[in-house]
Amino acid sequence: MAADALTDLSLLLGHQFPQLPWPAATLQALLPRVQLRRLPAQAVVFAQGAATPALYGVMAGEVAIRLGTVDGAVSVVEHTQPMQLFGLASFASGLPATYEAITTRPSRLLVLGPAAYELLMDGVPGFARALMAEFARRHDATMRQLAAARHHGAMERLTLALDQMRREQPGRERDVQGWLRLRTTQAELAALAGLSRQTVNSLLAALVSQGRLRRAYGGLWLPP
């Protein structure tokens, strides 16, 4: 298990923060401070409104970031893919999580709790700056999506939602022409774009007729 966690730690940090050096001594110092969790599909990593005890990295599988409403509706905001982090805002601020995190398939997560976070922030030069840049990038993407929901037309909002999903699903399947397979549903696209499912269906049909995307079972094909 220690060897697996060390490999995961090296892969995650190297992928998420490639601008920083990750010497073996740093990784070995971090190793006793992290945990490796294997979860089945539909496992709750943390609940909306609860404290987030750690910063999480997805090593395999997928985690849905979802918002629940008082009437029981659920909107998927993001699908966190392998080599991506989640849970930063609530964990760093100590405030209750504004969303829930649930695995969509069997997943392997690397858990970086307070001790690991402290070592990274205080003992790795440049880590705090790199983490702030990543947080700012995500915040900017969220604000763009909110702005689109208020000020942009339906097609532009859908296009922004598709672009966000493309960024969230790196390394996905591509065909011989370089088209990217995007696993999503009309309901998820509608929630992300702030549109009705009927509107999304009509807009997707228009994009297909223009050759700007192709439909696929369980998702879409996006051009390179």
Side-chain angles (χ1 to χ4, degrees):
M1 183 65 73
D4 291 343
L6 182 62
T7 299
D8 282 348
L9 189 60
S10 177
L11 289 172
L12 177 66
L13 294 176
H15 183 273
Q16 194 73 62
F17 306 106
Q19 69 273 44
L20 301 178
W22 295 104
T26 299
L27 298 176
Q28 287 290 350
L30 276 168
L31 187 58
R33 305 178 185 220
V34 303
Q35 293 180 318
L36 195 58
R37 293 184 64 188
R38 300 179 187 275
L39 299 174
Q42 302 305 311
V44 177
V45 183
F46 55 80
Q48 186 172 339
T52 307
L55 179 63
Y56 297 87
V58 180
M59 303 311 305
E62 181 182 76
V63 174
I65 304 302
R66 314 192 314 185
L67 295 175
T69 62
V70 292
D71 60 1
V74 174
S75 295
V76 177
V77 177
E78 177 181 340
H79 286 103
T80 306
Q81 304 295 324
M83 302 302 156
Q84 292 183 328
L85 296 169
F86 68 95
L88 173 62
S90 176
F91 173 62
S93 67
L95 298 173
T98 56
Y99 56 85
E100 63 182 6
I102 296 180
T103 58
T104 61
R105 63 185 72 172
S107 300
R108 189 172 80 252
L109 306 182
L110 198 64
V111 184
L112 296 91
Y117 183 71
E118 180 181 358
L119 191 154
L120 287 166
M121 292 292 284
D122 298 340
V124 178
F127 178 79
R129 184 180 293 108
L131 188 64
M132 182 178 292
E134 172 64 13
F135 183 77
R137 183 190 67 78
R138 296 187 183 188
H139 178 73
D140 180 68
T142 300
M143 295 306 295
R144 288 177 185 273
Q145 198 66 41
L146 289 173
R150 290 192 175 190
H151 306 298
H152 296 177
M155 181 60 82
E156 190 168 4
R157 287 156 64 178
L158 177 62
T159 301
L160 285 170
L162 288 169
D163 286 344
Q164 179 175 334
M165 286 189 170
R166 182 198 294 266
R167 291 193 301 271
E168 292 170 2
Q169 298 188 27
R172 286 291 190 178
E173 176 189 352
R174 291 183 182 272
D175 67 9
V176 294
Q177 296 176 318
W179 285 58
L180 175 71
R181 184 177 177 86
L182 183 69
R183 192 172 68 84
T184 186
T185 66
Q186 287 188 15
E188 291 171 349
L189 276 172
L192 189 58
L195 301 168
S196 69
R197 292 180 62 179
Q198 292 80 4
T199 299
V200 167
N201 185 52
S202 297
L203 294 174
L204 290 176
L207 291 173
V208 169
S209 68
Q210 297 166 16
R212 295 170 59 185
L213 61 77
R214 303 198 304 258
R215 293 183 185 270
Y217 178 75
L220 304 166
W221 286 96
L222 301 182

